[in-house]
Amino acid sequence: MQALGQILLFTFAGGVISVLLAAALSMGASAASVPLLVSFAVGTLLGAVFLDILPYALASARSPQITSATVLAGLLLFFVLEKLVLWRHCHQRDCEAHDPGHGHSHGHGGRSAGALILLGDTFHNFVDGVLVAAAFLADTQLGVVTALAILAHEVPQELSNFLILLDSGFSRARALAWNLASGLAMVVGGALAWLALTPLVQWVPSLVAIAAASMLYVAVADLIPGLHRRVAPADALFQTLLIGLGVTTIWLVGVLAHRFGA
């Protein structure tokens, strides 16, 4: 039951607190500040994958080749899901979901754009809940690091979603309510995964490998291309420093979690 409590706590933080933080930031922050959060999120995702999640998956798997194949299959799976507009909303050049601060066309797409955002984000949050649960069932420290990385990339994502919903005609109250409802899907995913995975512990290493694929795909395919829109040397330097700060944060969390017996 301790694992369930941790899963519920951290999925709530990732799915609900991230929405509240994004809503608060949207009140006084411009869309131009989103890339700063995205740079830090990239660092936390890459740090979580290469410093904690992949090492655990490789060490606990029966075969490193099977683990590597699982990561590869996960990357291909997320590519296909994204093409089906079920993962990360859309990937067109002028997609509102990925360009909240550049060239917003007010009213373009209307409420249908907002509905698409909510559909994709609900699915995304549910899957994140499953991955957090798998990480906690594997190892508490791994669960904490995974949840922190998800929280870090959820804040800029939810900020982007919030801006898009406002642009689609939602009031601030409705945008917040719908985003919170979507965020609760992470808690539901975590709880259902705990019920399903507890008797099927042998599947946990594979799901941890899929978690690594998920974070790697989001960082490399979704977030980093957006950072390349800013080509000035000062922007590149600042982005690199923030990515490094994200990686360092994950490393410090792992060290502290290990030291205090998490």
Side-chain angles (χ1 to χ4, degrees), residues 114-219:
L116 181 63
I117 291 297
L118 291 170
L119 175 64
D121 202 41
T122 300
F123 176 80
H124 165 218
N125 287 332
F126 182 86
V127 172
D128 277 349
V130 173
L131 299 179
V132 168
F136 269 107
L137 289 174
D139 179 77
T140 302
Q141 177 183 332
L142 186 66
V144 172
V145 169
T146 301
L148 179 64
I150 286 176
L151 175 61
H153 93 264
E154 277 298 314
V155 172
Q157 177 62 39
E158 294 298 342
L159 177 57
S160 172
N161 291 350
F162 198 76
L163 294 171
I164 294 163
L165 290 177
L166 293 178
D167 189 59
S168 298
F170 285 69
S171 67
R172 286 190 177 273
R174 286 198 66 194
L176 178 60
W178 280 107
N179 263 341
L180 285 173
S182 175
L184 286 173
M186 190 180 298
V187 181
V188 174
L192 291 179
W194 180 81
L195 290 172
L197 293 176
T198 299
L200 299 173
V201 178
Q202 67 269 22
W203 291 101
V204 169
S206 295
L207 286 173
V208 169
I210 293 174
S214 168
M215 294 183 180
L216 188 59
Y217 185 86
V218 169

Side-chain angles (χ1 to χ4, degrees), residues 19-130:
V19 172
L20 296 176
L21 286 174
L25 287 171
S26 72
M27 300 296 181
S30 66
S33 64
V34 175
L36 303 180
L37 297 172
V38 170
S39 297
F40 179 78
V42 168
T44 61
L45 290 171
L46 294 178
V49 168
F50 291 106
L51 299 181
D52 286 283
I53 300 176
L54 268 182
Y56 178 89
L58 290 168
S60 60
R62 289 175 295 177
S63 167
Q65 288 77 16
I66 292 177
T67 300
S68 299
T70 302
V71 173
L72 176 59
L75 291 172
L76 295 175
L77 171 65
F78 297 129
F79 172 79
V80 172
L81 290 177
E82 187 168 52
K83 284 294 185 181
L84 295 174
V85 201
L86 290 176
W87 187 261
R88 309 293 292 176
H89 319 311
C90 67
H91 239 250
Q92 302 169 13
R93 180 178 294 274
D94 60 348
C95 174
E96 296 174 69
H98 287 77
D99 201 11
H102 303 276
H104 244 182
S105 301
H106 290 274
H108 180 65
R111 288 185 180 270
S112 61
L116 181 63
I117 291 297
L118 291 170
L119 175 64
D121 202 41
T122 300
F123 176 80
H124 165 218
N125 287 332
F126 182 86
V127 172
D128 277 349
V130 173

